[in-house]
Structures are given as C-alpha cells and as structure tokens.
C-alpha cells in the first residue's frame, strides 16, 4: 500500500520536509480499552493513520485513563509508550508532574472546544459533559437543575458512581463542588435521599442497573443519548439539562519525552486534529469531536443538550482532590 | 518448591509495593478514622454472609444427598458449580433482573406487601448476592464429602433402618464437621474481599470494603505505602482466620482414609420417607429459587442479544483464546495444588503439624491478596517492560493459575491423603510403588476430584477480568475483555450475548470434564473412585 501523504498543518509539513519519518517504524500508543475495541474509534483510526505514515500503529490498551497514568508512573523512563492517549483534564496535572512528557508542537487553531485551550503538552481529541441520563418512559419532566433534583419526588432515584474508583464519579464530585463550593457537603447529604446506589464503575451503573430499569436516572455523559438515537434508533434515553451548567470532560493525548520515534509521535498528534481521525469519535467514542466536522457530524449530535461548561484547572483538582473526597465521604456516608 | 513459588510470588508482589513506597507509616491507618468503620462493616457483612451461606448449605447438601435422583438434579448440580465462577458483572445483571426494583419478583413482593421494594440495596442485597455466590459452592463441596461415605456404612444404615437423627450423628455430621472450618474460612475470605458486589449493592460510601480504600490509594493517589498497608491488614485478618480454621479443622478423621473397594451404591434410607419428603423439597426448591432465576435472566438477555453478536472475527478467536488460557491455567493450578497438598502430607507424616498447616495456609494466601496488588507487584518485580503480546498472556495464565489455587486445593484435599495405613502397608509389602502405586491405587480415587478441581480452576480463569485487564492486549481480547469493551461501547445486547457464551463455555467445561471421568477406568477390580456418581447405578 503506497503511503497516501496528506499535508496537514504547518507542523506536519515541516516534519515531512525534514524527512524524519521513516517507513517501518512502530508507534506505540497507550490508551484505554473501549477506545481500541472493535466498536471503538481505534480500528478506523489505525487504518487511516497507517495508510498515511507507512508505519505500524500499535495500541496498548489499559482499563482506563487512570490506569494509563499509573502504568506511565510505574514504567518511568523505561516506558514503551511513544504517545499516551486518554488522559482527561483531571489527570493532566498529575501526569505533568511525572516529567515524562514532551511538548506536542501542534497548531491548535483547528480546535473547536467549549473552552479556550492553551497547553504545551496536552492536545485534546474529544470532549463532553457529565450529565444525568434519564428514561423518558419513566420520567416525563426531568429535573432542570440540582435544586430540582434534590427536591424531586421520592420515587425519582438516581444511580451514581464512586468518585474513588470511577471517572464519572469524580466528575460529579467536581461538578457539585464547582456549583456549590462550601455548601457541597450539605448538597451531598441531601442528594443521598435521591440515590438508589453508588457503583464502582460506569458499566455496572449503566448496564446492570439502569438498562434493567432500576432507576429512572443515571450519572453518565450528555453524549450518551447520541448512541441510543443513532445506532439503536430510540429516543427513549435523554440527558437532563441543568441550569447550573455541566462539568466538562476534555480527553487529551501527549507525547512521551523518552520516545524513540519523536517525529512519528508528532505526526500522530497532528493527525489527531484531522477529519480522518475525528470522524471516528462521535459514534465510536460517543464524545464530541475536538474540531468542527461540518456535515460529517452525525445528525443526532444536533439534538443533544448544549449546556454551559464548568471546569476547575487541572492544578486545582490535583491540589484539592483528596480533601474534597474526604468531604464527600463524610457527607455521603450514611 | 510450590510453597516457595506461591508465597514468594504473593509476598513478593506485596514486598515490591512496600519497597517502591518511599515511606511507610503504620500510624496512617489510625489517622483515617473512617477506616475503622470500613473494617467494621466489612467484617460484619462477611460474617453474616458466611453464617447464612454455610448454615443454609448444610440442609441443602443433606437434602441433595438424601435424594440421589429427581428430575433436574444434574442440572441443579451444574448450576451450583456455575454460580461461583460467574463474573460479578454478569451475576449482578441477573440478580438485578430478578430481585431489583423492577425485577421479576417485584410484582410478587408487591402482592405480598411485605418486602420493601429495594431490598436488593444495602446490607440485605450484599448478603443476598454473597449467599447466591457461596451457598451453592459450600453445598456442592459438602455434597462431595457426603458422597464419599463408604457404601458399607450406608448399607448398614439401611439394614438397621437408622432414623434421621441417628444418621446425622453417625454418618453425616462426622463427614461435614472436618470440612466446616475450612469452608467457612474460604467463604468468609471471599466475602471479605468482595469488591464490585459490595459497592454496587451497598448503596454508598458507608458500605465499602477495604479493597475500595486500597483501590483508591493505589490507582488515584498512587500511595503505594498506604495500599501495601491496607493489603497487609487484609492479609493479617484473613490469615489469622485461616490459621484458626486449620488448627480447629485438625486432621480429617481416620474414617475418611478407609475407602470402599466398590462403586458407591445407593442404599435404602429410612429417613428419606415421610416428613423428609416435604422438608427436602422445601430446601431443594429454595436452592433452585435462589440460583436459577438470575441465571435464566442472563440466558434470556443473551438469547435476545444473539442477533447482535459481535462479528465472528473477534468472538470465536476470543473464545478460543479464553479456553486455551484457562486450560493452561487450570493445569498449572492443579500441579501447584497437588504439590502443596503432597508437601503437607509429607510434613504431617513426619509429625510437623505446624509446618504442614503453614504449607496449606500458604495456598490460601492468594485468596487474600487483592488482584490489583498482585498484578502491580508483579509488574514492579518484572520491570522495566512487560505487558504486551505473548509475555503478557503467559503472565496472565500464571497469575490465574495462582488465583484458582485455593479452590483447587479445597476440592482435591479430601481425596489426596489417599491410602489408609493398612492399605499402605499392604502396598509396601506387595512392592507396589512409584508409578504403579500412582496408577493402580491413587489415580482411580483422584481422577474425579482432579476433574472437578480442573473445572473450577479453568472456569475461574475463564471469567477473570482483573488480571487480564492489567496484562492483556486489546487487539486479541479474551471473552471477559470483549464483554467490557462492548459495554464501554454501549453494545448492551451484544454484551449480553457474550455473557451467555461465557456461561455456556463454563457449563461446557464442567460437563466435559464430568463426562470424561464419569466411567470408571478399565481395571475394574480396584476401580471407581468413591465419588462415582451414585445415581448412575443401583445397589
């Protein structure tokens, strides 16, 4: 297969001129499990990238973003990774502290995120909001804010995830902290009345409980309904839009400083912001693409909620996470 | 050797964590007052679960032994073997479908008006799930012990027309008693270290186990010192329990050594008549009601998901990969178990009971070390690079073999002491030694327990997700990995189908191993293991 070289952006063009990308190299990307599964965006992206780089793209999948960070930490300078893909904003500060990452050097002009992005190391590839997904057959008028959720009738129960073991759980912790600040413990205590149960991971909550009809609402992503609508062809599951705004998750990739293929790694990061990569995101990873895909964005994405974005800086999360977790534990432990 | 390997790897992985951790403050444990609450809750739910599982398993096992033939008995036994090895995600799905707020039982409990509609959440749910997991295991192992009873004893009991109470005192209790301490320790350890079930059904942070704290310390905080400390706490508690159980359990009574020379038969039992019919029916229906509906729920969801099955390209290779890894892990586990148990016997013969107990306890060590600690510790030991391709899978097989060891030992233990003293003397006099002794005297008694142990070990490895997640490769997933990938991609129905295939494979492994060892070996004169399926032939 002849390499189909497309010139994307100034950085990549410069690289190609330098001629430092060689055929036959292997680029090792650490990522998370669902990204590379048969149904995830991984296979399509691998095919597209290998066609243009003439190299071999090897994904190493770990169970989740936290595990990527953990693996990097354990391997240190000896890591086999050239690129890590799947660290979200909340893990950025911890990953940066490892001193293992190199600047991405990619022009971020194409980025289309709800917030401004300027970071030398981390380059976003998708984003989405945490949200409560509800079953329209069981809940006609979903709550429109945290206050409405807290004051909902007794039978409106919600399934959460534990912030100590799951990314979505941590998302809710930060979300409530952002909205309520000092009042967060009081809100957690009140929210307890609405909670059916707290699971260790998203899969248990969504698959074992929510899809079994155990509760009308579950903590998930605002983009979850897109999958149900586009692939399953049902409008039954929708996300409740809160006036308070929604906590934002941005997923990023970064280059590893010890990589033996720095040029190829840069090429991959630049490729990340092209339609060839991004078109696999909306229905493969079920998140918003990081660039404007134009007509290629599936139609169902027009029908998702578009709330205001709330964020803490990665440094703030790193500095306060333990303290906030303790606060949550004390307030939520009945 | 085996002990060194087991203890070495287990403690080594823990040691690696401690060594990596910069500093260790045991005082940290007490600075976190909530840990005391977590510990209290963990102990409480595990005790309750153990008490109920074991307590209820006794009448169930007795009823099963008393009724060697009834419609669906084999199906029930197979389902009992299944329950232990179902991955928690699938078990949860089934339990929720049956016992959940919208479950099959909801209309019934509405009608009865008694049960609160969310009894599946909170302590009652945790205990229900643990009983679902452990009662069948306990009852299955007890049944095996009961069926080992010598036919001569049963014949005598039948001729004498012994009543229920006498049978219990004379035959049943002496077989169960030596088993109970170990079984209780096994079930307690399983409940103590249970993670996904306790979190999902527990309802909130008030009901977490030590493992949650460990998980957070390890993954989010990268606080290896705290993680190692928590693991050590868990280790100390459970090993203490094991030592107590092993010392209490003592040596199995001599009667176990005296084995029948003929296939076990079924003898007329006076206690199988009259009121027993009712009570036995009660226990057996109770068991079926606990065990079967969640499995049926998984079955139904799986069948509905069949059209959504992943393209053959990934499914069948995954199934094959899972099976071959499970087979390798199963064999490894058997080898380790036999080595450890033989070592124990050797030590015991030389009157070193403490060393023997230590040998045996070493095998249970694995049960207590969280997979996360084991995996990460191994990783640290094997640095710098590992975890991809062939090496990764070899490691998974190895770790799975270790993980299944406690179960394999539990199953084989009863059969291994083998020859009674007179038999041994006779064999010595006749010069039956070495291979011949193994083939003619020991193998016939060992083959069925070995097959059951292999089945448990294989199926545990088939359902493993925690270890494969650390070292596996996503491009070549095993079935459980495939399942999680599907869930991550919202493929519910396909996931249900994968879960069904996983269950079917597990059932198949049991059925195949059972069939292979059902018929006695050719040399009939000294044939048939005492576990020979008693319902297969008449007296």
């Amino acid at each position: 297969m002849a390499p189909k070289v497309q010139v994307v952006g100034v950085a990549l063009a410069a690289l190609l001129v330098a001629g430092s990308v060689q055929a036959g190299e292997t680029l090792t990307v650490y990522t998370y499990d669902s990204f590379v599964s048969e149904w995830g965006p991984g296979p399509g992206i691998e095919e597209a990238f290998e066609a243009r780089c003439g190299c071999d793209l090897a994904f190493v999948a770990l169970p989740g973003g936290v595990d990527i960070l953990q693996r990097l930490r354990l391997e240190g300078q000896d890591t086999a990774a050239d690129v890590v893909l799947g660290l979200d904003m909340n893990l950025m500060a911890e990953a940066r502290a490892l001193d293992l990452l190199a600047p991405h050097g990619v022009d971020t002009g194409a980025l289309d995120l709800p917030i401004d992005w300027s970071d030398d190391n981390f380059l976003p590839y998708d984003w989405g909001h945490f949200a409560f997904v509800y079953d329209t057959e069981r809940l006609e008028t979903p709550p429109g804010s945290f206050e409405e959720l807290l004051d909902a009738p007794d039978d409106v129960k919600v399934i959460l995830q534990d912030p100590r073991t799951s990314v979505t759980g941590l998302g809710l912790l930060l979300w409530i902290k952002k909205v309520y600040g000092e009042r967060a413990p009081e809100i957690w205590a009140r929210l307890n009345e609405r909670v059916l149960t707290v699971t260790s991971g998203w899969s248990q909550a969504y698959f074992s409980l929510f899809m079994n009809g155990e509760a009308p609402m579950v903590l998930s992503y605002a983009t979850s309904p897109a999958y149900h609508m586009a692939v399953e062809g049902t409008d039954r599951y929708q996300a409740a839009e809160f006036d308070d705004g929604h906590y934002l998750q941005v997923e990023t990739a970064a280059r590893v400083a010890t990589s033996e293929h720095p040029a190829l790694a840069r090429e991959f990061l630049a490729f990340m912001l092209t339609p060839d990569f991004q078109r696999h995101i909306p229905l493969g990873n079920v998140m918003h693409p990081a660039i404007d895909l134009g007509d290629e964005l599936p139609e169902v994405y027009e029908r998702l909620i578009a709330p205001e974005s709330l964020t803490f800086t990665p440094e703030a999360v790193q500095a306060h996470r333990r303290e906030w977790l303790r606060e949550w534990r004390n307030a939520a432990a009945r | 050797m085996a002990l060194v390997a087991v203890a070495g790897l287990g403690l080594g992985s823990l040691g690696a964590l401690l060594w990596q951790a910069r500093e260790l403050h045991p005082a940290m444990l007490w600075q976190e007052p909530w840990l005391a609450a977590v510990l209290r809750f963990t102990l409480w739910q595990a005790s309750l679960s153990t008490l109920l599982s074991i307590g209820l398993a006794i009448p169930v096992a007795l009823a099963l032994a008393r009724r060697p033939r009834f419609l669906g008995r084999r199906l029930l036994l197979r389902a009992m073997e299944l329950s232990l090895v179902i991955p928690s995600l699938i078990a949860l799905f089934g339990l929720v479908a049956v016992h959940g707020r919208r479950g099959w039982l909801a209309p019934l409990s509405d009608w009865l008006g008694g049960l609160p509609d969310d009894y599946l959440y909170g302590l009652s749910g945790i205990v229900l799930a643990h009983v679902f997991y452990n009662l069948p295991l306990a009852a299955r192992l007890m049944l095996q012990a009961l069926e080992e009873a010598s036919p001569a004893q049963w014949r005598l009991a039948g001729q004498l027309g012994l009543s229920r109470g006498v049978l219990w005192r004379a035959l049943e209790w002496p077989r169960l008693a030596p088993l109970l301490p170990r079984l209780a320790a096994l079930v307690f350890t399983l409940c103590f270290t249970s993670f996904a079930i306790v979190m999902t059904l527990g309802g909130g942070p008030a009901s977490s186990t030590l493992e949650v704290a460990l998980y957070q310390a390890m993954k989010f905080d990268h606080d290896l010192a705290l993680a190692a400390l928590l693991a050590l706490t868990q280790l100390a508690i459970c090993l203490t329990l094991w030592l107590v159980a092993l010392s209490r359990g003592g040596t199995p009574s001599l009667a176990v050594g005296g084995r029948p020379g003929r296939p076990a038969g079924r003898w007329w039992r006076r206690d199988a008549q009259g009121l027993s019919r009712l009570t036995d029916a009660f226990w057996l229906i109770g068991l079926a009601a606990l065990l079967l509906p969640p499995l049926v729920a998984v079955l139904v969801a799986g069948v509905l998901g069949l059209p959504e099955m992943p393209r053959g390209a990934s499914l069948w290779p995954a199934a094959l990969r899972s099976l071959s890894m499970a087979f390798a892990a199963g064999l490894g586990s058997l080898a380790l178990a036999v080595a450890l148990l033989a070592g124990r016997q050797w030590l015991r013969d030389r009157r070193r009971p403490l060393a023997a107990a230590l040998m045996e306890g070493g095998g249970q060590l694995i049960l207590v070390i969280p997979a996360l600690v084991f995996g990460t510790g191994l990783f640290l030991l094997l640095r710098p690079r590992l975890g991809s391709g062939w090496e990764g899978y070899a490691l998974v097989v190895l770790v799975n073999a270790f993980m299944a060891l406690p179960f394999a030992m539990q199953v084989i233990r009863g059969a291994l002491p083998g020859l009674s003293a007179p038999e041994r003397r006779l064999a010595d006099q006749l010069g039956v030694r070495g291979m011949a002794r193994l083939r003619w005297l020991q193998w016939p008694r060992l083959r069925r327990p070995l097959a059951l142990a292999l089945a448990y070990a294989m199926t545990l490895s088939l359902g493993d997700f925690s270890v494969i997640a650390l070292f596996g490769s996503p491009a070549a997933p095993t079935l459980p990995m495939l399942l999680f990938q599907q869930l991550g991609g919202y493929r519910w129905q396909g996931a249900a189908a994968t879960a069904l295939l996983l269950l079917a494979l597990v059932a198949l492994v049991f059925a195949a191993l059972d069939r292979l060892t059902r018929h006695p070996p050719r040399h009939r004169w000294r044939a048939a293991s005492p576990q020979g399926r008693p319902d297969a032939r008449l007296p």
Side-chain angles (χ1 to χ4, degrees):
Chain A
M1 194 188 307
K4 188 183 77 180
V5 180
Q6 289 179 358
V7 180
V8 189
V10 184
L12 181 53
L15 276 174
L16 289 174
V17 170
S20 52
V21 177
Q22 289 166 11
E25 285 180 299
T26 297
L27 185 73
T28 306
V29 178
Y30 281 10
T31 183
Y32 48 85
D33 207 306
S34 61
F35 191 87
V36 293
S37 75
E38 186 179 330
W39 310 271
I45 286 167
E46 186 175 346
E47 196 180 327
F49 186 65
E50 286 180 352
R52 74 165 64 195
C53 72
C55 64
D56 184 20
L57 179 59
F59 286 116
V60 171
L62 301 157
V66 185
D67 303 85
I68 301 174
L69 178 64
Q70 177 77 351
R71 177 65 68 97
L72 210 56
R73 199 147 35 189
L74 292 176
E75 289 178 336
Q77 301 280 333
D78 299 317
T79 183
D82 298 309
V83 170
V84 286
L85 184 150
L87 299 174
D88 72 7
M89 273 174 80
N90 302 327
L91 299 173
M92 276 168 49
E94 308 238 356
R96 209 194 308 274
L98 298 180
D99 267 335
L100 281 174
L101 303 177
H104 56 70
V106 175
D107 177 12
T108 55
L111 280 179
D112 181 27
L113 300 179
I115 53 169
D116 290 330
W117 193 267
S118 58
D119 191 286
D120 290 339
N121 292 119
F122 297 93
L123 193 62
Y125 62 89
D126 68 13
W127 59 276
H129 293 105
F130 295 110
F132 290 97
V133 171
Y134 70 101
D135 181 349
T136 54
E137 289 180 11
R138 302 196 37 205
L139 206 59
E140 277 171 21
T141 44
S145 66
F146 273 115
E147 280 305 323
E148 284 184 37
L149 173 64
L150 297 171
D151 293 334
D154 271 351
D155 60 331
V156 178
K157 291 276 184 183
V158 54
I159 304 160
L160 304 183
Q161 294 105 54
D162 196 306
R164 293 169 296 177
T165 51
S166 101
V167 170
T168 40
L170 183 62
L172 179 64
L173 181 85
L174 300 175
W175 188 2
I176 288 186
K177 194 71 200 172
K178 187 74 193 179
V179 173
Y180 288 102
E182 294 291 303
R183 285 182 59 209
E186 169 204 337
I187 302 301
W188 277 113
R190 279 174 69 197
L191 185 60
N192 250 347
E193 303 295 311
R194 295 276 72 77
V195 175
L196 174 71
T197 193
V198 182
T199 67
S200 56
W202 178 86
S203 295
Q204 282 97 334
Y206 213 98
F207 173 68
S208 296
L209 300 176
F210 184 62
M211 296 310 273
N212 251 330
E214 283 300 279
M217 294 184 92
V218 62
L219 174 65
S220 185
Y221 298 90
T223 40
S224 300
Y227 185 83
H228 292 291
M229 293 192 285
V231 182
E232 293 173 354
T234 172
D235 286 0
R236 179 169 172 187
Y237 304 104
Q238 296 297 334
E241 182 163 4
F242 281 13
D243 299 338
D244 316 272
H246 286 233
Y247 201 82
L248 180 73
Q249 184 184 32
V250 178
E251 294 194 288
T252 71
R255 210 157 64 78
V256 178
T258 54
S259 160
E260 285 163 21
H261 315 285
L264 197 56
R266 270 196 214 97
E267 185 185 349
F268 181 78
L269 289 179
F271 166 72
M272 232 169 58
L273 299 189
T274 66
D276 281 350
F277 181 105
Q278 291 287 329
R279 72 167 59 98
H280 299 285
I281 293 296
L283 294 182
N285 221 27
V286 198
M287 293 284 273
H288 289 281
I291 63 167
D292 186 357
L293 268 182
D295 291 347
E296 278 202 64
L297 187 69
E299 171 268 333
V300 292
Y301 271 77
E302 316 281 321
R303 296 161 59 203
L304 297 177
I305 60 170
E308 189 196 331
S309 301
L310 307 175
T311 54
F312 283 108
T313 63
E315 289 71 28
V317 174
Q318 185 189 26
H320 298 292
R321 190 172 46 84
R322 282 185 187 221
E323 166 197 337
W324 291 344
L325 271 171
R326 189 167 298 138
E327 205 177 87
W328 162 81
R329 204 171 50 220
N330 292 334
R334 271 171 275 194
Chain B
M1 267 296 283
L3 175 69
V4 171
V6 172
L9 266 184
L11 295 177
S13 57
L14 199 60
L17 281 196
L18 284 169
W19 172 66
Q20 267 291 306
R22 283 164 301 259
E23 53 209 27
L24 184 65
H25 301 299
M28 275 192 305
L29 273 184
W30 287 269
Q31 282 166 6
E32 297 271 11
W34 65 277
L35 266 181
V38 165
L39 207 57
R40 241 192 338 267
F41 177 81
T42 312
L43 284 170
W44 169 233
Q45 64 86 6
S47 311
L48 206 58
S49 304
T50 309
L51 209 64
L52 277 172
S53 301
I54 301 279
L56 294 176
I58 293 177
V60 167
L62 291 180
L64 276 169
R66 203 153 31 225
R67 307 280 157 203
R69 325 128 145 268
F70 59 85
L71 195 68
R73 186 179 192 263
R74 289 195 38 204
L75 185 77
L76 199 58
L77 286 184
R78 192 98 327 128
M80 289 166 77
E81 285 152 359
L82 263 177
S83 72
L84 169 73
V85 294
I86 306 175
S88 66
L89 189 93
I90 300 178
L92 276 175
F93 178 88
L95 284 169
V96 166
V98 175
H99 296 278
R101 301 206 311 158
R102 292 242 153 171
W104 299 352
L105 283 184
L108 185 71
S109 71
D110 274 355
W111 180 68
L112 287 172
L115 289 170
D117 69 342
D118 48 4
Y119 67 93
L120 186 57
Y121 302 95
L123 187 63
S124 52
I126 296 177
V127 172
L128 176 72
H130 281 161
V131 170
F132 169 80
Y133 260 106
N134 296 312
L135 186 153
L137 166 77
R140 183 71 185 86
L141 291 176
M142 286 180 193
L143 180 66
Q144 179 175 317
L146 287 174
E147 288 183 344
E148 272 170 20
S150 131
Q153 292 175 334
W154 282 115
R155 191 168 46 218
L156 196 62
Q159 283 161 353
L160 293 176
L162 293 183
S163 70
R164 194 168 174 169
V166 177
L167 274 179
W168 164 252
R169 276 198 305 275
L171 277 175
E172 292 167 339
W173 176 245
R175 308 219 143 259
L176 294 185
L179 192 66
L180 286 183
R182 290 200 188 94
L183 208 52
L186 178 70
V187 171
F188 183 90
T189 317
L190 288 174
C191 297
F192 190 86
T193 54
S194 157
F195 174 48
I197 296 260
V198 172
M199 280 198 83
T200 303
L201 299 180
S207 47
S208 6
T209 54
L210 223 49
E211 297 242 334
V212 181
L214 202 144
Y215 188 99
Q216 188 205 341
M218 191 107 148
K219 286 179 101 167
F220 278 74
D221 297 344
H222 193 66
D223 190 342
L224 295 185
L226 183 60
L229 204 60
L230 290 169
L232 275 177
T233 310
Q234 185 159 318
L235 196 76
I237 292 173
C238 291
L239 277 190
T240 311
L241 192 81
W242 272 103
L243 279 183
V244 171
L246 289 175
S247 62
R248 275 299 157 87
T251 45
S253 66
L254 271 177
V256 180
R259 287 299 161 66
R262 285 186 38 194
R266 244 333 120 172
W267 310 93
W268 178 78
R269 295 180 61 160
R270 196 178 113 188
D271 70 329
Q273 316 294 319
L275 192 63
S276 287
R277 285 177 187 276
L278 276 181
T279 52
D280 284 354
F282 170 79
W283 288 113
L284 295 178
I285 290 172
L287 172 69
L290 170 74
L291 194 55
L292 297 182
L295 292 178
V296 171
V298 175
L299 199 78
V300 170
V303 169
L304 290 179
L306 283 181
E308 296 285 316
M309 259 205 170
R311 280 161 276 154
S314 66
L315 187 71
W316 299 114
L320 198 66
R321 196 171 296 119
S322 282
L323 262 185
S324 44
M325 285 172 62
F327 188 63
L331 284 185
S333 195
L334 272 195
L336 282 169
V338 170
L340 273 183
L341 287 171
R344 177 201 65 164
Q345 192 60 32
W346 188 83
L347 284 171
R348 193 171 274 170
D349 288 347
R350 273 149 198 77
R351 307 220 177 277
R352 285 155 68 186
L354 188 69
L358 206 66
M359 193 93 174
E360 182 151 11
Q364 313 300 336
L365 189 68
I366 299 303
L367 217 51
V368 193
I369 297 185
L372 200 63
V373 170
F374 204 41
T376 310
L378 268 184
F379 193 90
L380 288 172
L381 285 176
L382 299 170
R383 284 206 308 176
R385 281 184 192 189
L386 213 148
S388 55
W390 187 86
E391 293 168 326
Y393 284 110
L395 205 62
V396 174
V397 166
L398 182 75
V399 178
N400 280 344
F402 279 102
M403 295 280 193
L405 184 58
F407 299 93
M409 284 177 67
Q410 206 74 28
V411 178
I412 310 178
R413 176 179 296 108
L416 203 68
L419 308 181
S420 64
E423 282 175 313
R424 206 176 311 158
R425 273 197 303 274
L426 187 63
D428 283 343
Q429 280 166 5
L430 294 176
V432 183
R433 296 183 168 279
M435 278 309 286
R437 180 132 146 190
L438 183 73
R439 180 167 170 214
W440 299 104
L441 298 182
Q442 276 165 336
W443 175 243
R445 317 181 155 183
L446 272 175
R447 49 204 286 282
R448 279 193 74 81
L450 279 184
L452 187 61
L454 182 64
Y456 270 131
M458 279 186 72
T459 47
L460 278 171
S461 155
L462 266 181
D464 164 65
F465 181 71
S466 51
V467 182
I468 190 81
L470 288 169
F471 299 111
S473 143
T478 60
L479 277 183
M481 267 176 103
L482 194 66
L483 178 68
F484 268 84
Q485 291 179 352
Q486 282 168 306
L487 292 177
Y490 295 84
R491 262 66 178 181
W492 318 117
Q493 302 206 312
T498 307
L500 177 64
L501 180 68
L502 194 58
L503 277 191
L505 274 186
V506 169
L508 205 73
V509 165
F510 271 104
L513 286 170
D514 181 55
R515 185 153 287 274
L516 281 179
T517 53
R518 170 153 350 127
H519 298 294
R522 265 179 300 134
H523 31 93
R524 282 192 160 266
W525 57 276
R526 188 74 177 77
S529 68
Q531 284 75 31
R533 198 160 275 281
D535 51 336
R537 46 185 79 79
L538 290 165

